[in-house]
Amino acid sequence: MLIKDFAELTGVTVRTLHYYDKIGLLKPSFTDKNNNYRFYDENSLERMQEILFYRELDFSLKTISDILSSPDYNKHEAVKKQKHLLTLKKQRLEKIISALETLENKGEINMKNTFDNSKFENAVNQFKHEVQSRWGNTSAYKEFQSKNIPNDTFADFDNIFSEFADCMKKGFSPSCKEVQTLVQKLQNFITDNFYTCTNEILAGLGQMYILDERFKNNIDKHGKNAAQFVSDAIKIFCQA
């Protein structure tokens, strides 16, 4: 379909589509070289829908572009979590509407939990950390792919989590010097062997270690709640 029709169908402006094309977020499926007319197809529509879902959750265009361009992006998994978040948003709006109806019909003011948005905001923040660490760091992923990593490197990486678990079993706090030194060791190891691990990336990994079952189970094999312990330690380190 022509750009005008596509814009009308998706509810965005032609100017927005021009900009998305310019930054590489959404390219037309075909551009007529004779008149520069842009055409869009079903694949364009599918990508546009994904963009709008992320925009509804206040993701930046740069982050959306990085996520959708990631070679290991899992659309099915992302859609499930987007649905959950938008359901939370819907529930909050329904509470506000109900409070307005009570005020209109009975003159009663109902403020109990009506405007509490913490559940939605916390869930969105967790989701943002997860998708950015898993799919949003395209440059880090490319750096990782460019390296020939020996198998024993992964064993050494796993041993660091074993050290975290040992600290936890000894009753150390995530904020204590010994554990925080381990976080620094973890960050340095990732940078030296995989990709440049900034504090921002490390913070995202800390969230992923408890939100992604694969990572959580792998760390927890060293001790019950080890993944949460590592995540807490990383959070303290990155906020320092």
Side-chain angles (χ1 to χ4, degrees):
M1 65 188 81
L2 283 167
I3 190 171
K4 181 181 177 182
D5 299 322
F6 188 78
E8 183 177 348
L9 178 63
T10 58
V12 300
T13 65
V14 170
R15 183 177 180 181
T16 296
L17 291 174
H18 283 167
Y19 181 67
Y20 285 1
D21 182 10
K22 180 180 178 180
I23 64 176
L25 180 60
L26 178 64
K27 291 285 187 182
S29 58
F30 171 72
T31 301
D32 192 324
K33 294 182 179 179
N34 296 320
N35 52 28
N36 288 324
Y37 283 2
R38 293 172 171 88
F39 292 86
Y40 296 82
D41 59 11
E42 284 292 327
N43 290 331
S44 308
L45 191 62
E46 184 176 337
R47 185 174 175 93
M48 188 72 223
Q49 186 181 54
E50 290 182 88
I51 292 169
L52 292 176
F53 280 146
Y54 281 112
R55 290 298 290 153
E56 190 65 30
L57 296 170
D58 297 323
F59 278 71
S60 70
L61 295 179
K62 174 64 169 62
T63 299
I64 296 172
S65 180
D66 286 346
I67 291 169
L68 298 183
S69 299
S70 177
D72 61 343
Y73 175 61
N74 188 323
K75 178 186 173 183
H76 178 70
E77 183 178 340
V79 166
K80 285 175 62 178
K81 293 183 177 179
Q82 287 168 341
K83 179 183 175 183
H84 171 66
L85 292 172
L86 292 173
T87 299
L88 292 177
K89 189 173 184 179
K90 174 188 172 186
Q91 290 171 350
R92 177 174 181 264
L93 290 174
E94 286 175 344
K95 285 182 181 179
I96 294 174
I97 292 171
S98 177
L100 286 171
E101 288 176 345
T102 300
L103 180 62
E104 180 183 27
N105 298 327
K106 300 180 181 179
E108 297 177 0
I109 299 175
N110 180 14
M111 294 291 291
K112 186 177 181 181
N113 297 325
T114 300
F115 295 95
D116 181 9
N117 200 31
S118 58
K119 187 175 182 181
F120 171 72
E121 290 176 348
N122 289 338
V124 169
N125 287 334
Q126 286 186 341
F127 180 60
K128 284 185 176 182
H129 279 301
E130 181 179 1
V131 297
Q132 286 228 228
S133 59
R134 291 188 62 187
W135 306 315
N137 298 302
T138 308
S139 59
Y141 182 84
K142 288 178 180 177
E143 186 179 350
F144 171 74
Q145 287 290 82
S146 68
K147 294 185 177 181
N148 185 19
I149 303 171
N151 288 333
D152 57 1
T153 299
F154 292 98
D156 292 338
F157 185 46
D158 193 54
N159 286 337
I160 297 177
F161 295 113
S162 178
E163 292 182 58
F164 275 107
D166 288 341
C167 286
M168 180 186 68
K169 293 170 185 175
K170 292 176 182 176
F172 290 175
S173 165
S175 62
C176 75
K177 181 179 179 181
E178 291 84 355
V179 177
Q180 289 298 295
T181 299
L182 265 183
V183 177
Q184 183 69 73
K185 180 179 179 179
L186 174 66
Q187 185 180 39
N188 291 342
F189 187 90
I190 294 172
T191 296
D192 293 341
N193 295 280
F194 303 128
Y195 48 79
T196 303
C197 186
T198 64
N199 277 13
E200 183 181 3
I201 291 177
L202 183 64
L205 290 173
Q207 286 292 317
M208 186 172 68
Y209 290 157
I210 56 174
L211 293 173
D212 190 303
E213 287 298 320
R214 294 170 301 171
F215 286 92
K216 184 177 183 298
N217 292 338
N218 186 60
I219 297 173
D220 279 350
K221 72 184 181 185
H222 297 291
K224 187 178 180 181
N225 297 323
Q228 184 66 60
F229 184 81
V230 174
S231 180
D232 291 343
I234 290 174
K235 183 177 181 180
I236 293 168
F237 180 89
C238 293
Q239 289 179 344

